[in-house]
Amino acid sequence: QVQLVESGGGLVQAGGSLRLSCAASGGAFRSYAVGWFRLAPGKEREFVAAIDRNGAQTVYAHSEKGRFTISRDHAKKTVYLQMNSLKPEDTAIYYCAAHRDPSTVVAEYSHWGQGTQVTVSS
């Protein structure tokens, strides 16, 4: 089974940028699509972005399209989430997860990382 570890979170001012990383081990990285999700206080976990196994297809939540970019590096077995023009409402724990397809549905993902905190100050 694939194991996922997120990194790159932190504290940033509104308008700033962060790049999150999701490093995979223990499984066939190329066999999985990877999604990014976030969990904010008082809210349900929500979809942010996903990328297919080949890196050819990407999917974004409407509010993130144009600000966030998902990509993957097969040699490094890592998926990235570049986040620009960050807003205070982007504050959340960000998780990556693996599935066979780049689904937007939380329940379809069975392999999850432990999350990384992103805090955007106003």
Side-chain angles (χ1 to χ4, degrees):
Q1 287 190 354
V2 66
Q3 288 87 47
L4 304 173
V5 177
E6 302 93 335
S7 62
L11 174 63
V12 64
Q13 288 189 330
S17 298
L18 282 175
R19 188 177 78 160
L20 305 184
S21 299
C22 173
S25 63
F29 178 66
R30 290 178 181 267
S31 298
Y32 294 97
V34 174
W36 282 98
F37 298 82
R38 65 187 182 189
L39 180 62
K43 295 186 178 181
E44 294 185 353
R45 192 172 302 198
E46 64 176 4
F47 170 77
V48 175
I51 190 166
D52 73 351
R53 286 169 279 183
N54 298 321
Q57 179 188 2
T58 56
V59 184
Y60 295 94
H62 179 73
S63 60
E64 278 67 63
K65 201 167 186 178
R67 297 192 302 127
F68 293 3
T69 303
I70 189 170
S71 61
R72 67 190 297 164
D73 184 330
H74 284 115
K76 295 183 178 179
K77 299 180 71 173
T78 300
V79 171
Y80 303 100
L81 184 68
Q82 177 67 44
M83 305 188 296
N84 299 326
S85 302
L86 283 163
K87 307 173 183 179
E89 50 264 43
D90 294 318
T91 295
I93 302 173
Y94 283 71
Y95 299 88
C96 64
H99 182 50
R100 66 177 185 273
D101 298 309
S103 172
T104 64
V105 180
V106 172
E108 293 187 353
Y109 286 80
S110 55
H111 305 284
W112 290 83
Q114 84 291 345
T116 185
Q117 176 71 48
V118 171
T119 303
V120 184
S121 63
S122 57

